[in-house]
Amino acid sequence: EEPKAGVAGNAGAPLRLITAKVIANAVNHRQRTVLLAPGGLVTPLARDLAKERGINITRDRKSDPGGPGAGK
């Protein structure tokens, strides 16, 4: 099964895979940020396109088991 790659930030859900198509969808929906799930992947083309189009790729730390506050 492939990692989920849907519309960026739909309902605030972080994505496991961010592709150029996800970035294009974010641009079309006038979104400024795409959430990346912990352990998620961003393709090189998606990273370049996001930079070019002013889309921020933000790692979702709320669901990151190793993130700030882990083990407390």
Side-chain angles (χ1 to χ4, degrees):
E1 184 177 325
E2 287 186 28
K4 177 111 172 126
V7 174
N10 216 8
L15 302 175
R16 291 179 44 204
L17 176 63
I18 297 177
T19 63
K21 183 176 180 179
V22 171
I23 299 301
N25 284 338
V27 170
N28 290 338
H29 289 93
R30 294 187 169 99
Q31 293 174 312
R32 306 302 294 161
T33 300
V34 177
L35 287 178
L36 178 64
L41 300 174
V42 181
T43 67
L45 181 57
R47 192 169 301 281
D48 291 346
L49 186 59
K51 185 175 182 180
E52 180 182 302
R53 298 296 183 120
I55 303 293
N56 297 311
I57 298 173
T58 304
R59 188 167 300 277
D60 179 42
R61 300 207 183 274
K62 287 183 269 182
S63 59
D64 186 353
K72 288 187 177 180

